[in-house]
Coordinates of all heavy atoms in Angstrom, one line a residue:
M318 N 35.5 -0.3 -19.7 CA 34.4 -0.4 -18.7 C 33.6 -1.6 -18.9 O 33.2 -2.0 -20.0 CB 33.5 0.8 -18.9 CG 33.8 2.0 -18.0 SD 32.4 3.0 -17.8 CE 33.0 4.4 -17.0
T319 N 33.3 -2.3 -17.9 CA 32.5 -3.5 -18.0 C 31.0 -3.1 -17.8 O 30.7 -2.3 -17.0 CB 32.9 -4.5 -16.9 OG1 32.9 -3.9 -15.7 CG2 34.2 -5.2 -17.2
D320 N 30.2 -3.8 -18.6 CA 28.8 -3.5 -18.6 C 28.1 -4.4 -17.5 O 28.0 -5.6 -17.7 CB 28.2 -3.6 -19.9 CG 26.7 -3.2 -20.0 OD1 26.3 -2.5 -19.0 OD2 26.0 -3.6 -20.9
T321 N 27.6 -3.8 -16.5 CA 26.9 -4.6 -15.5 C 25.4 -4.3 -15.4 O 24.8 -4.5 -14.4 CB 27.6 -4.4 -14.1 OG1 27.6 -3.0 -13.8 CG2 29.0 -5.0 -14.1
S322 N 24.9 -3.6 -16.4 CA 23.6 -3.1 -16.3 C 22.5 -4.3 -16.2 O 21.5 -4.1 -15.7 CB 23.3 -2.3 -17.5 OG 23.4 -3.0 -18.7
C323 N 22.9 -5.4 -16.8 CA 22.0 -6.6 -16.8 C 22.1 -7.3 -15.5 O 21.2 -8.2 -15.2 CB 22.3 -7.5 -17.9 SG 21.7 -6.8 -19.5
K324 N 23.0 -7.1 -14.7 CA 23.2 -7.8 -13.4 C 22.2 -7.3 -12.4 O 21.9 -6.2 -12.3 CB 24.6 -7.6 -12.9 CG 25.6 -8.2 -13.8 CD 26.3 -9.4 -13.1 CE 27.3 -10.0 -14.0 NZ 27.9 -11.2 -13.4
K325 N 21.7 -8.3 -11.7 CA 20.8 -7.9 -10.6 C 21.6 -7.3 -9.5 O 22.6 -7.8 -9.0 CB 20.1 -9.3 -10.1 CG 18.7 -9.2 -10.0 CD 18.2 -10.5 -9.5 CE 16.7 -10.5 -9.4 NZ 16.2 -11.8 -9.0
T326 N 21.1 -6.2 -9.0 CA 21.7 -5.6 -7.8 C 21.4 -6.4 -6.6 O 20.3 -7.0 -6.5 CB 21.2 -4.2 -7.7 OG1 19.8 -4.2 -7.7 CG2 21.8 -3.3 -8.7
T327 N 22.3 -6.4 -5.7 CA 22.0 -7.2 -4.4 C 20.9 -6.5 -3.6 O 20.8 -5.3 -3.7 CB 23.3 -7.2 -3.6 OG1 23.8 -5.9 -3.5 CG2 24.3 -8.1 -4.2
M328 N 20.2 -7.3 -3.0 CA 19.1 -6.8 -2.2 C 19.6 -5.9 -1.0 O 20.6 -6.3 -0.4 CB 18.3 -7.9 -1.6 CG 17.6 -8.7 -2.7 SD 15.9 -9.2 -2.4 CE 15.6 -9.1 -0.8
P329 N 18.9 -4.9 -0.7 CA 19.3 -4.1 0.5 C 19.2 -4.9 1.7 O 18.0 -5.1 2.2 CB 18.4 -2.9 0.4 CG 17.3 -3.3 -0.5 CD 17.8 -4.3 -1.4
G330 N 20.2 -5.3 2.3 CA 20.1 -6.3 3.4 C 19.7 -5.6 4.7 O 19.1 -6.2 5.6
A331 N 19.9 -4.3 4.8 CA 19.5 -3.6 6.0 C 18.0 -3.5 6.1 O 17.5 -3.4 7.2 CB 20.1 -2.2 6.0
E332 N 17.4 -3.6 5.0 CA 15.9 -3.4 5.0 C 15.2 -4.7 5.2 O 15.3 -5.6 4.4 CB 15.5 -2.8 3.7 CG 14.2 -2.0 3.8 CD 13.9 -1.3 2.5 OE1 14.7 -0.5 2.1 OE2 12.9 -1.6 1.9
R333 N 14.6 -4.9 6.4 CA 13.9 -6.1 6.6 C 12.4 -5.8 6.9 O 12.1 -4.8 7.5 CB 14.5 -6.9 7.7 CG 14.3 -6.4 9.1 CD 14.5 -7.5 10.1 NE 15.9 -7.9 10.1 CZ 16.5 -8.4 11.2 NH1 15.8 -8.5 12.3 NH2 17.7 -8.8 11.1
T334 N 11.6 -6.7 6.4 CA 10.2 -6.5 6.5 C 9.6 -7.4 7.6 O 9.9 -8.5 7.7 CB 9.5 -6.7 5.2 OG1 10.2 -6.1 4.2 CG2 8.1 -6.2 5.2
V335 N 8.8 -6.8 8.4 CA 8.2 -7.5 9.5 C 6.7 -7.6 9.2 O 6.1 -6.5 9.0 CB 8.5 -6.9 10.9 CG1 7.9 -7.7 12.0 CG2 10.0 -6.8 11.1
R336 N 6.1 -8.7 9.2 CA 4.7 -8.8 9.1 C 4.0 -8.7 10.4 O 4.4 -9.4 11.4 CB 4.3 -10.1 8.4 CG 5.0 -10.4 7.1 CD 4.7 -9.4 6.0 NE 3.3 -9.6 5.5 CZ 2.6 -8.7 4.8 NH1 3.2 -7.6 4.5 NH2 1.4 -9.0 4.4
V337 N 3.0 -7.9 10.5 CA 2.3 -7.7 11.8 C 0.8 -7.9 11.6 O 0.3 -7.6 10.5 CB 2.5 -6.2 12.3 CG1 2.1 -6.1 13.8 CG2 4.0 -5.8 12.1
M338 N 0.2 -8.5 12.5 CA -1.2 -8.8 12.5 C -2.0 -7.8 13.3 O -1.6 -7.4 14.4 CB -1.5 -10.2 13.0 CG -0.7 -11.3 12.4 SD -1.4 -11.9 10.9 CE -2.8 -12.7 11.6
F339 N -3.2 -7.4 12.8 CA -4.0 -6.5 13.5 C -5.5 -7.0 13.4 O -5.8 -7.6 12.4 CB -4.0 -5.1 12.9 CG -2.6 -4.4 13.0 CD1 -1.8 -4.5 11.9 CD2 -2.2 -3.8 14.1 CE1 -0.5 -3.9 12.0 CE2 -1.0 -3.2 14.2 CZ -0.1 -3.3 13.1
V340 N -6.2 -6.8 14.5 CA -7.6 -7.2 14.5 C -8.5 -6.0 14.7 O -8.2 -5.2 15.6 CB -7.8 -8.2 15.7 CG1 -9.3 -8.6 15.7 CG2 -6.9 -9.4 15.5
C341 N -9.4 -5.8 13.9 CA -10.4 -4.7 14.0 C -11.3 -5.0 15.2 O -11.9 -6.0 15.3 CB -11.2 -4.6 12.7 SG -12.5 -3.4 12.9
E342 N -11.4 -4.0 16.1 CA -12.2 -4.2 17.3 C -13.7 -4.1 16.9 O -14.5 -4.6 17.7 CB -11.8 -3.2 18.3 CG -10.5 -3.4 18.9 CD -10.2 -2.4 20.0 OE1 -11.1 -1.6 20.4 OE2 -9.0 -2.4 20.4
G343 N -14.0 -3.5 15.8 CA -15.3 -3.3 15.5 C -16.0 -4.5 14.9 O -17.1 -4.9 15.3
C344 N -15.3 -5.2 14.0 CA -15.9 -6.4 13.4 C -15.0 -7.6 13.5 O -15.4 -8.6 12.9 CB -16.3 -6.0 12.0 SG -14.8 -5.8 10.9
M345 N -13.9 -7.5 14.1 CA -13.0 -8.6 14.3 C -12.3 -9.1 13.0 O -11.9 -10.2 13.0 CB -13.7 -9.8 15.0 CG -14.3 -9.5 16.4 SD -13.1 -8.7 17.5 CE -12.2 -10.2 18.0
A346 N -12.3 -8.3 12.0 CA -11.6 -8.6 10.8 C -10.1 -8.6 11.1 O -9.6 -7.8 11.8 CB -12.0 -7.6 9.7
I347 N -9.4 -9.5 10.5 CA -8.0 -9.6 10.7 C -7.2 -9.1 9.5 O -7.5 -9.4 8.4 CB -7.6 -11.1 11.0 CG1 -8.3 -11.5 12.3 CG2 -6.1 -11.2 11.2 CD1 -8.1 -13.0 12.6
Y348 N -6.3 -8.3 9.8 CA -5.4 -7.7 8.8 C -4.0 -8.0 9.0 O -3.6 -8.2 10.2 CB -5.6 -6.2 8.7 CG -7.0 -5.8 8.3 CD1 -8.0 -5.6 9.1 CD2 -7.2 -5.6 6.9 CE1 -9.2 -5.2 8.7 CE2 -8.5 -5.2 6.5 CZ -9.4 -5.0 7.4 OH -10.7 -4.6 7.0
E349 N -3.2 -8.0 7.9 CA -1.8 -8.2 8.0 C -1.1 -7.1 7.3 O -1.5 -6.7 6.2 CB -1.4 -9.5 7.4 CG 0.1 -9.9 7.8 CD 0.5 -11.1 6.9 OE1 0.5 -11.0 5.7 OE2 0.8 -12.2 7.5
A350 N -0.1 -6.5 7.9 CA 0.6 -5.4 7.3 C 2.1 -5.6 7.5 O 2.5 -6.4 8.3 CB 0.2 -4.1 8.0
S351 N 2.8 -4.9 6.6 CA 4.3 -4.9 6.7 C 4.8 -3.7 7.4 O 4.4 -2.6 7.1 CB 4.9 -4.9 5.3 OG 4.5 -6.1 4.6
Q352 N 5.6 -4.0 8.4 CA 6.2 -2.9 9.2 C 7.5 -2.6 8.5 O 8.4 -3.4 8.3 CB 6.4 -3.4 10.6 CG 6.9 -2.3 11.5 CD 7.4 -2.9 12.8 OE1 8.3 -3.7 12.9 NE2 6.7 -2.5 13.9
V353 N 7.7 -1.3 8.2 CA 8.9 -0.8 7.7 C 9.4 0.3 8.6 O 8.7 1.0 9.2 CB 8.7 -0.3 6.2 CG1 8.4 -1.4 5.3 CG2 7.7 0.8 6.1
S354 N 10.7 0.4 8.6 CA 11.3 1.5 9.5 C 11.4 2.8 8.7 O 12.4 3.0 8.0 CB 12.6 1.0 10.0 OG 13.4 0.6 8.9
R355 N 10.4 3.6 8.9 CA 10.5 5.0 8.5 C 9.4 5.7 9.3 O 8.4 5.1 9.7 CB 10.2 5.1 7.0 CG 8.8 4.8 6.6 CD 8.5 5.2 5.2 NE 7.1 4.6 4.8 CZ 6.8 4.1 3.6 NH1 7.8 3.9 2.8 NH2 5.6 3.7 3.4
T356 N 9.6 7.0 9.4 CA 8.8 7.8 10.3 C 7.4 8.0 9.6 O 7.3 8.3 8.4 CB 9.4 9.1 10.6 OG1 10.8 8.9 10.9 CG2 8.7 9.8 11.7
A357 N 6.4 7.8 10.4 CA 5.0 8.0 9.8 C 4.0 8.2 10.9 O 4.2 7.8 12.0 CB 4.6 6.7 9.0
T358 N 3.0 9.0 10.6 CA 1.9 9.1 11.5 C 0.6 8.9 10.6 O 0.2 9.8 9.8 CB 1.9 10.6 12.1 OG1 3.1 10.8 12.8 CG2 0.7 10.7 13.1
K359 N 0.0 7.8 10.8 CA -1.1 7.4 10.0 C -2.1 6.6 10.8 O -1.9 6.3 12.0 CB -0.6 6.6 8.8 CG 0.1 7.4 7.8 CD 0.4 6.4 6.6 CE 1.5 6.9 5.8 NZ 2.0 5.9 4.9
Y360 N -3.1 6.1 10.1 CA -4.0 5.1 10.7 C -4.6 4.3 9.5 O -4.5 4.7 8.3 CB -5.1 5.8 11.5 CG -6.0 6.7 10.7 CD1 -7.1 6.2 10.0 CD2 -5.8 8.1 10.7 CE1 -7.9 7.0 9.3 CE2 -6.6 8.9 10.0 CZ -7.7 8.4 9.3 OH -8.5 9.2 8.6
F361 N -5.0 3.2 9.9 CA -5.6 2.3 8.9 C -7.1 2.0 9.3 O -7.4 1.8 10.4 CB -4.9 0.9 8.8 CG -5.5 0.0 7.8 CD1 -5.3 0.2 6.5 CD2 -6.3 -1.1 8.3 CE1 -5.9 -0.7 5.6 CE2 -6.8 -2.0 7.4 CZ -6.7 -1.7 6.0
R362 N -7.9 2.1 8.2 CA -9.4 2.0 8.4 C -9.9 0.7 7.9 O -9.4 0.2 6.9 CB -10.0 3.1 7.6 CG -11.3 3.7 8.2 CD -11.6 4.9 7.4 NE -11.3 6.0 8.3 CZ -12.3 6.9 8.7 NH1 -13.5 6.7 8.3 NH2 -12.0 7.9 9.4
C363 N -10.7 0.1 8.7 CA -11.3 -1.2 8.3 C -12.1 -1.1 7.0 O -12.9 -0.2 6.9 CB -12.1 -1.8 9.5 SG -12.8 -3.4 9.1
E364 N -11.9 -2.1 6.2 CA -12.6 -2.1 4.9 C -14.1 -2.5 5.1 O -14.9 -2.2 4.3 CB -12.0 -3.1 3.9 CG -10.6 -2.7 3.4 CD -10.0 -3.8 2.6 OE1 -10.6 -4.8 2.4 OE2 -8.8 -3.6 2.2
Q365 N -14.3 -3.2 6.2 CA -15.6 -3.8 6.4 C -16.5 -2.8 7.2 O -17.6 -2.6 6.8 CB -15.5 -5.1 7.1 CG -16.8 -5.8 7.2 CD -16.6 -7.3 7.5 OE1 -16.4 -8.0 6.6 NE2 -16.8 -7.6 8.7
C366 N -16.0 -2.3 8.3 CA -16.9 -1.6 9.2 C -16.4 -0.1 9.2 O -17.1 0.7 10.0 CB -16.9 -2.1 10.6 SG -15.4 -1.9 11.5
D367 N -15.4 0.2 8.6 CA -14.9 1.6 8.5 C -14.4 2.2 9.8 O -14.2 3.4 10.0 CB -16.1 2.5 7.9 CG -15.5 3.7 7.2 OD1 -14.4 3.6 6.6 OD2 -16.1 4.8 7.3
G368 N -14.1 1.3 10.7 CA -13.5 1.8 12.0 C -12.0 1.8 11.9 O -11.4 1.3 11.0
I369 N -11.4 2.5 12.8 CA -10.0 2.5 12.9 C -9.4 1.3 13.4 O -9.7 0.9 14.6 CB -9.5 3.7 13.7 CG1 -10.2 5.0 13.3 CG2 -8.0 3.8 13.7 CD1 -9.5 5.7 12.1
V370 N -8.7 0.6 12.6 CA -8.1 -0.7 13.1 C -6.8 -0.4 13.9 O -6.6 -1.0 15.0 CB -7.7 -1.6 11.9 CG1 -7.0 -2.9 12.3 CG2 -9.0 -1.9 11.1
Y371 N -6.0 0.5 13.4 CA -4.7 0.8 14.1 C -4.3 2.2 13.7 O -4.5 2.7 12.6 CB -3.7 -0.2 13.7 CG -2.4 -0.1 14.5 CD1 -2.5 -0.3 15.9 CD2 -1.2 0.2 13.9 CE1 -1.3 -0.2 16.7 CE2 -0.1 0.3 14.7 CZ -0.1 0.1 16.1 OH 1.0 0.2 16.8
R372 N -3.7 2.8 14.7 CA -3.2 4.2 14.5 C -1.8 4.1 15.0 O -1.5 3.6 16.0 CB -4.0 5.0 15.5 CG -4.2 6.4 15.1 CD -4.8 7.2 16.2 NE -6.3 7.0 16.3 CZ -7.1 7.8 15.7 NH1 -6.7 8.9 15.0 NH2 -8.4 7.6 15.7
W373 N -0.9 4.7 14.2 CA 0.5 4.6 14.6 C 1.2 5.9 14.3 O 0.8 6.7 13.4 CB 1.2 3.5 13.9 CG 1.3 3.6 12.4 CD1 2.4 4.1 11.7 CD2 0.3 3.2 11.4 NE1 2.1 4.1 10.3 CE2 0.9 3.5 10.1 CE3 -0.9 2.6 11.5 CZ2 0.2 3.3 9.0 CZ3 -1.6 2.4 10.3 CH2 -1.1 2.7 9.1
S374 N 2.2 6.2 15.1 CA 3.0 7.4 14.9 C 4.4 7.1 15.5 O 4.5 6.7 16.7 CB 2.3 8.5 15.5 OG 3.1 9.2 16.4
G375 N 5.4 7.3 14.8 CA 6.7 7.1 15.3 C 7.7 6.7 14.2 O 7.6 7.1 13.1
N376 N 8.6 5.8 14.6 CA 9.6 5.4 13.7 C 9.3 4.3 12.7 O 10.1 3.9 11.9 CB 10.9 5.0 14.5 CG 11.4 6.1 15.3 OD1 11.4 7.3 14.8 ND2 11.9 5.8 16.5
Y377 N 8.1 3.8 12.8 CA 7.7 2.7 11.9 C 6.4 3.1 11.1 O 5.5 3.7 11.6 CB 7.4 1.4 12.7 CG 8.7 0.9 13.3 CD1 9.0 1.1 14.7 CD2 9.6 0.2 12.5 CE1 10.1 0.6 15.2 CE2 10.8 -0.3 13.1 CZ 11.0 -0.1 14.4 OH 12.2 -0.6 15.0
D378 N 6.4 2.5 9.9 CA 5.2 2.7 9.1 C 4.7 1.3 8.7 O 5.4 0.4 8.8 CB 5.6 3.5 7.8 CG 4.4 4.0 7.1 OD1 3.3 3.9 7.6 OD2 4.6 4.5 6.0
Y379 N 3.4 1.3 8.4 CA 2.8 0.0 8.1 C 2.2 0.1 6.7 O 1.4 1.0 6.4 CB 1.7 -0.3 9.1 CG 2.3 -0.6 10.5 CD1 2.4 0.5 11.4 CD2 2.8 -1.8 10.9 CE1 3.0 0.3 12.6 CE2 3.4 -2.0 12.1 CZ 3.5 -0.9 13.0 OH 4.1 -1.1 14.2
V380 N 2.6 -0.8 5.9 CA 2.2 -0.7 4.5 C 1.7 -2.1 4.1 O 1.8 -3.1 4.8 CB 3.4 -0.3 3.6 CG1 3.8 1.1 3.8 CG2 4.5 -1.3 3.7
Q381 N 1.2 -2.2 2.9 CA 0.7 -3.4 2.2 C -0.3 -4.1 3.2 O -0.2 -5.3 3.5 CB 1.8 -4.3 1.9 CG 2.7 -3.8 0.9 CD 4.0 -4.6 0.7 OE1 4.3 -5.4 1.5 NE2 4.7 -4.4 -0.4
W382 N -1.3 -3.4 3.5 CA -2.4 -4.0 4.3 C -3.2 -5.0 3.5 O -3.6 -4.8 2.4 CB -3.3 -2.9 4.8 CG -2.7 -2.0 5.9 CD1 -1.8 -1.0 5.7 CD2 -2.9 -2.2 7.3 NE1 -1.5 -0.5 6.9 CE2 -2.1 -1.2 7.9 CE3 -3.6 -3.1 8.1 CZ2 -2.0 -1.1 9.3 CZ3 -3.6 -2.9 9.5 CH2 -2.8 -1.9 10.1
K383 N -3.3 -6.2 4.2 CA -4.1 -7.2 3.5 C -5.0 -7.8 4.5 O -4.7 -8.1 5.6 CB -3.1 -8.3 3.1 CG -2.7 -8.2 1.6 CD -2.0 -9.5 1.1 CE -0.6 -9.5 1.4 NZ 0.0 -10.8 0.9
R384 N -6.2 -8.0 4.0 CA -7.2 -8.6 4.9 C -7.1 -10.2 4.8 O -6.8 -10.7 3.8 CB -8.6 -8.2 4.5 CG -9.6 -8.7 5.4 CD -10.8 -7.8 5.3 NE -11.9 -8.6 5.9 CZ -13.2 -8.4 5.5 NH1 -13.5 -7.6 4.6 NH2 -14.1 -9.2 6.1
Y385 N -7.4 -10.8 5.9 CA -7.4 -12.2 5.9 C -8.8 -12.7 5.7 O -9.7 -12.6 6.5 CB -7.0 -12.7 7.3 CG -5.5 -13.0 7.4 CD1 -4.6 -12.1 6.9 CD2 -5.0 -14.2 7.9 CE1 -3.2 -12.4 7.0 CE2 -3.7 -14.5 8.0 CZ -2.8 -13.6 7.5 OH -1.5 -13.8 7.6
P386 N -9.1 -13.2 4.4 CA -10.4 -13.6 4.1 C -10.9 -14.8 4.8 O -12.0 -15.0 5.1 CB -10.4 -13.8 2.6 CG -9.0 -13.5 2.2 CD -8.2 -13.4 3.4
K387 N -9.9 -15.7 5.2 CA -10.3 -16.9 5.8 C -10.8 -16.8 7.2 O -11.5 -17.6 7.7 CB -9.1 -17.9 5.7 CG -7.9 -17.3 6.4 CD -6.7 -18.3 6.3 CE -5.5 -17.7 7.0 NZ -4.3 -18.6 6.8
E388 N -10.4 -15.7 7.8 CA -10.8 -15.5 9.2 C -12.2 -14.8 9.3 O -12.5 -14.2 10.3 CB -9.8 -14.7 9.9 CG -8.4 -15.4 10.0 CD -8.4 -16.6 10.9 OE1 -9.3 -16.7 11.7 OE2 -7.5 -17.4 10.8
Q389 N -12.9 -14.8 8.3 CA -14.1 -14.0 8.2 C -15.2 -14.7 9.0 O -16.1 -15.4 8.4 CB -14.5 -13.8 6.8 CG -15.3 -12.6 6.5 CD -15.5 -12.3 5.0 OE1 -15.0 -13.1 4.2 NE2 -16.2 -11.3 4.7
A390 N -15.2 -14.6 10.3 CA -16.1 -15.3 11.1 C -17.4 -14.6 11.2 O -18.5 -15.2 11.6 CB -15.6 -15.5 12.5
I391 N -17.5 -13.4 10.8 CA -18.7 -12.6 11.0 C -19.5 -12.6 9.7 O -19.0 -12.5 8.6 CB -18.2 -11.1 11.3 CG1 -17.2 -11.2 12.4 CG2 -19.5 -10.3 11.7 CD1 -17.3 -10.1 13.4
S392 N -20.7 -12.6 9.9 CA -21.6 -12.5 8.7 C -21.7 -11.0 8.3 O -21.6 -10.1 9.2 CB -23.0 -13.0 9.1 OG -23.5 -12.2 10.2
A393 N -21.7 -10.8 7.0 CA -21.7 -9.4 6.6 C -22.9 -8.7 7.1 O -24.1 -8.9 6.6 CB -21.7 -9.4 5.0
D394 N -22.7 -7.8 8.0 CA -23.8 -7.1 8.6 C -23.9 -5.7 7.9 O -23.0 -4.9 8.0 CB -23.5 -6.9 10.1 CG -24.7 -6.5 10.8 OD1 -25.7 -6.2 10.2 OD2 -24.7 -6.4 12.1
P395 N -25.0 -5.4 7.3 CA -25.2 -4.2 6.6 C -25.5 -3.0 7.5 O -25.6 -1.9 7.1 CB -26.4 -4.4 5.7 CG -27.1 -5.5 6.3 CD -26.2 -6.3 7.2
T396 N -25.6 -3.2 8.8 CA -25.9 -2.2 9.7 C -24.7 -1.2 9.9 O -23.6 -1.7 10.2 CB -26.2 -2.7 11.2 OG1 -27.0 -3.8 11.0 CG2 -26.9 -1.7 12.0
P397 N -24.9 0.0 9.6 CA -23.8 1.0 9.7 C -23.4 1.2 11.2 O -24.3 1.2 12.1 CB -24.3 2.3 9.1 CG -25.8 2.1 9.1 CD -26.1 0.7 9.2
Q398 N -22.1 1.4 11.4 CA -21.6 1.6 12.8 C -21.8 3.1 13.2 O -21.5 4.0 12.6 CB -20.1 1.3 12.8 CG -19.8 -0.1 12.5 CD -19.7 -0.9 13.8 OE1 -19.4 -0.4 14.8 NE2 -20.0 -2.2 13.7
R399 N -22.4 3.2 14.4 CA -22.6 4.5 15.0 C -23.2 5.6 14.1 O -22.7 6.7 14.0 CB -21.3 5.0 15.6 CG -20.8 4.2 16.7 CD -19.5 4.7 17.2 NE -18.5 3.7 17.5 CZ -17.2 3.8 17.4 NH1 -16.7 4.8 16.9 NH2 -16.5 2.8 17.7
G400 N -24.1 5.2 13.3 CA -24.8 6.2 12.5 C -23.9 6.7 11.3 O -24.4 7.5 10.5
R401 N -22.7 6.2 11.2 CA -21.9 6.6 10.2 C -22.3 5.9 8.9 O -22.6 4.7 8.8 CB -20.5 6.2 10.5 CG -19.5 6.7 9.5 CD -18.1 6.5 10.0 NE -17.3 7.6 9.7 CZ -16.2 8.0 10.4 NH1 -15.9 7.3 11.4 NH2 -15.6 9.1 10.1
S402 N -22.4 6.7 7.8 CA -22.8 6.0 6.6 C -21.7 5.2 6.0 O -20.5 5.5 6.1 CB -23.2 7.1 5.6 OG -22.0 7.9 5.2
S403 N -22.1 4.0 5.6 CA -21.1 3.1 5.2 C -20.7 3.3 3.7 O -20.9 2.5 2.8 CB -21.6 1.6 5.3 OG -22.8 1.5 4.6
T404 N -20.1 4.4 3.5 CA -19.6 4.7 2.1 C -18.3 3.9 1.9 O -17.5 3.8 2.8 CB -19.3 6.2 2.0 OG1 -18.6 6.7 3.1 CG2 -20.7 7.0 1.9
R405 N -18.2 3.5 0.7 CA -17.0 2.7 0.4 C -15.8 3.7 0.2 O -15.9 4.5 -0.7 CB -17.2 1.9 -0.8 CG -18.0 0.6 -0.5 CD -18.4 -0.1 -1.8 NE -19.3 -1.1 -1.5 CZ -19.0 -2.4 -1.2 NH1 -17.7 -2.7 -1.2 NH2 -19.8 -3.3 -0.9
A406 N -14.8 3.5 0.9 CA -13.6 4.4 0.8 C -12.7 3.9 -0.3 O -11.6 3.5 -0.1 CB -12.9 4.4 2.1
R407 N -13.2 3.8 -1.5 CA -12.4 3.4 -2.6 C -12.8 4.1 -3.8 O -13.7 3.9 -4.4 CB -12.6 1.9 -2.8 CG -11.2 1.2 -3.0 CD -11.4 -0.3 -2.8 NE -10.3 -0.9 -2.0 CZ -9.2 -1.2 -2.6 NH1 -9.0 -1.1 -3.9 NH2 -8.2 -1.7 -1.9
Ligands
ZN733 ZN1 -13.9 -3.7 11.1

């Protein structure tokens, strides 16, 4: 038997990642996420204004949400949105 445990396995070629951009309608923060093909029903909440940036349900899931700090055109407004307390969801 040959030992191949140290060899790198080939990457799963069928799996391809698509980067998708989303803009929060509440505060215009820009996010980037990876689209993966698996069934999911979720939503993503804005880190800044706590609003729903995107809601999805179907054959694709969105993971690895990253905020674009460079597009931060808005001044940090401490005013809570719609009376909702701005608790940090972390
Ligand atoms: Zn927002």
Side-chain angles (χ1 to χ4, degrees):
M318 262 204 195
T319 49
D320 185 16
T321 54
S322 60
C323 283
K324 294 248 176 182
K325 231 179 179 178
T326 49
T327 48
M328 294 221 345
E332 205 171 300
R333 76 158 66 147
T334 314
V335 182
R336 305 295 289 166
V337 194
M338 307 275 288
F339 297 97
V340 180
C341 173
E342 288 182 13
C344 67
M345 303 306 284
I347 298 175
Y348 291 91
E349 192 189 63
S351 296
Q352 185 191 63
V353 293
S354 51
R355 70 168 172 223
T356 314
T358 303
K359 289 185 199 164
Y360 61 84
F361 178 75
R362 212 168 253 244
C363 180
E364 290 173 3
Q365 185 162 283
C366 73
D367 207 32
I369 306 279
V370 177
Y371 189 61
R372 210 188 276 269
W373 65 96
S374 127
N376 297 323
Y377 293 101
D378 196 5
Y379 296 92
V380 295
Q381 293 173 345
W382 286 81
K383 265 197 272 180
R384 185 158 160 209
Y385 266 50
K387 58 182 176 183
E388 300 287 346
Q389 211 170 357
I391 312 219
S392 59
D394 195 352
T396 316
Q398 295 265 331
R399 290 180 221 147
R401 182 170 226 154
S402 64
S403 57
T404 47
R405 284 171 188 271
R407 225 167 222 272

